[in-house]
Amino acid sequence: MNVMDQARAVGDAVLYEGYLLYPYRASAPKNRVRWQWGVLVPPSYASAEIGEHASAGVECLVEPADRTILHVKLRFLQARTQPGTTWDEADEQEIDFELPLAELPVERPFQVGHGLSGVLTARVDPLDGPFGGARLRVEVHNTTSWHSDGIREHALRHSLLAAHLVLSVDSGHFLSMLDPPEWAKPAVEACRQERLWPVLIGDTSRSTVVLASPIILYDDPSIAPESPGDLFDGTEIDEILTLRTMTLTDEEKREARATDPRAAALVDRVDSMPPELLERLHGAVRSVRPVKPSVTVAGVRVAEGSRVRLRPNLRGTDAQDMFLAGKTATVRVVLSDVDGVAYLAVTLDDDPGADLQHTHGRYRYFSPDEVEPLEVAE
């Protein structure tokens, strides 16, 4: 898979995150309040007090070459009302912009049909200092003229839903915002993100492609090869959602199929899933094996049974690890990948299900430089 295909695959997951939640029926209470990610409402409805915004912006660092051309792909969903129903389906929209960096700043208006309009702006500013590079800022604004009646469901029909950007350059490259080179760290800290977060695609240090997502991701995200297709409820894992869908009654499945063609395809896929495909969803640990008895951290031997304090960094494998900073954990296994790099598999000390997690081999993984030893291993 090339980097643009990878960006599109991850972008598709962003598009449909929360589009239709389990149990995939329009009558389900949690499917009556929809479109939570990347929503850019018309200006007449926007209000910081209610958390609804008409624009989003992203800043990232680029090291351009001569005559670099920036390609911007704006992707979003547009709600479409089903006649005779209260359920809105969605059409995918994609708009491409070709912007030579030498011609920035620019404003490019766009229109989708007769009911949705907006403007994309881009500017680039050289960085101070001897290392070169530049700060790129791209913004998307919903400029749709609509007389607000104060009803969110009506405003959504004039909104950009799950809006995100794919940025690429034909020469030069973008730098990681999570793990930049030392000279670029002050510039990264000065960058401002507004409802979009930039991550590299295809690499974790520099790349020609950036995905600017309304959901926080890590550099070089990808869809697990075990995933059989869209499940829409991306805050859960495929195995749980698939097993839950299997437990729906025949009547519940009929209602789900009648809700939306995407729901119908999902239920049909689950109903016809062969056992060997379901088995693949049980989880995978990639390229690690328990071959190291211990590692040394800050001069202290850390092994199975050691207690540590978590100090996750931003280049970790899970962006949500930032919420675990300062928590204590117990090392259950010391792992090594094919290159001999060590990882610690831990359970949280304040997790009442820690022993159960250990029994099932469900861990959180950290590199040795992300922990602070609290006890010496026996």
Side-chain angles (χ1 to χ4, degrees):
M1 179 182 294
N2 65 40
V3 287
M4 289 304 295
D5 289 340
Q6 181 181 341
R8 180 178 292 278
V10 177
D12 286 347
V14 171
L15 276 179
Y16 290 104
E17 160 67 28
Y19 170 81
L20 179 61
L21 303 177
Y22 172 88
Y24 305 117
R25 304 191 307 270
S27 61
K30 61 183 177 180
N31 280 321
R32 296 174 187 171
V33 180
R34 304 173 69 202
W35 318 118
Q36 302 299 317
W37 305 103
V39 177
L40 302 183
V41 299
S44 61
Y45 186 75
S47 167
E49 292 181 358
I50 61 174
E52 301 285 2
H53 303 274
S55 64
V58 64
E59 290 186 348
C60 56
L61 302 188
V62 60
E63 291 189 300
D66 292 338
R67 300 186 179 86
T68 292
I69 295 177
L70 171 69
H71 298 270
V72 179
K73 193 179 294 289
L74 168 62
R75 307 182 75 221
F76 58 93
L77 297 177
Q78 183 178 20
R80 172 169 47 85
T81 304
Q82 286 288 85
T85 74
T86 59
W87 180 259
D88 286 349
E89 293 184 20
D91 295 323
E92 293 183 22
Q93 304 292 351
E94 186 171 293
I95 305 172
D96 291 305
F97 304 86
E98 185 175 292
L99 309 173
L101 289 189
E103 296 180 9
L104 301 188
V106 297
E107 291 188 4
R108 293 288 179 85
F110 60 87
Q111 187 161 335
V112 179
H114 298 289
L116 197 60
S117 61
V119 62
L120 181 134
T121 68
R123 65 174 296 123
V124 64
D125 297 297
L127 298 178
D128 295 331
F131 297 101
R135 179 183 297 108
L136 173 69
R137 180 168 183 83
V138 181
E139 298 180 4
V140 183
H141 301 262
N142 185 345
T143 61
T144 303
S145 178
W146 174 67
H147 180 69
S148 176
D149 58 8
I151 300 175
R152 185 175 191 268
E153 288 76 9
H154 296 170
L156 293 177
R157 295 165 188 168
H158 305 275
S159 301
L160 284 68
L161 308 174
H164 62 278
L165 301 169
V166 179
L167 313 177
S168 62
V169 289
D170 63 345
S171 58
H173 54 260
F174 297 100
L175 296 177
S176 171
M177 302 294 286
L178 293 174
D179 190 22
E182 195 66 31
W183 66 265
K185 288 182 178 179
V188 167
E189 292 173 359
C191 285
R192 195 161 44 94
Q193 317 302 341
E194 296 177 354
R195 294 170 288 283
L196 288 174
W197 180 257
V199 293
L200 300 183
I201 299 295
D203 205 333
T204 57
S205 58
R206 59 183 59 192
S207 176
T208 59
V209 179
V210 159
L211 172 66
S213 164
I215 301 173
I216 295 177
L217 300 170
Y218 44 85
D219 280 331
D220 199 24
S222 61
I223 304 299
E226 294 83 5
S227 182
D230 292 329
L231 288 166
F232 305 122
D233 200 343
T235 57
E236 295 283 3
I237 62 174
D238 285 21
E239 182 183 26
I240 291 176
L241 286 173
T242 299
L243 292 173
R244 283 178 174 174
T245 304
M246 287 179 172
T247 66
L248 295 176
T249 66
D250 290 341
E251 177 56 36
E252 289 171 330
K253 289 180 180 180
R254 278 194 292 271
E255 185 181 349
R257 287 186 173 98
T259 293
D260 185 295
R262 295 185 176 96
L266 186 158
V267 174
D268 290 344
R269 185 177 69 246
V270 169
D271 276 355
S272 61
M273 183 177 293
E276 59 271 20
L277 186 54
L278 181 61
E279 179 66 23
R280 289 178 57 196
L281 300 182
H282 192 55
V285 178
R286 307 187 196 282
S287 302
V288 294
R289 55 189 185 276
V291 299
K292 283 184 175 292
S294 66
V295 294
T296 300
V297 181
V300 177
R301 177 175 170 265
V302 174
E304 179 182 347
S306 296
R307 293 184 64 247
V308 296
R309 192 176 304 281
L310 302 179
R311 303 294 187 191
N313 55 48
L314 291 179
R315 58 179 175 82
T317 58
D318 188 341
Q320 303 306 314
D321 284 351
M322 67 179 73
F323 300 113
L324 303 179
K327 288 185 174 290
T328 62
T330 298
V331 176
R332 300 291 189 165
V333 188
V334 181
L335 300 164
S336 175
D337 66 15
V338 295
D339 296 318
V341 178
Y343 297 89
L344 304 176
V346 308
T347 55
L348 298 178
D349 290 344
D350 63 359
D351 182 355
D355 289 339
L356 181 62
Q357 299 284 350
H358 178 47
T359 300
H360 289 280
R362 303 283 186 173
Y363 304 118
R364 299 174 185 270
Y365 298 92
F366 296 91
S367 60
D369 65 354
E370 294 181 292
V371 305
E372 172 189 320
L374 296 179
E375 296 176 355
V376 179
E378 296 294 333

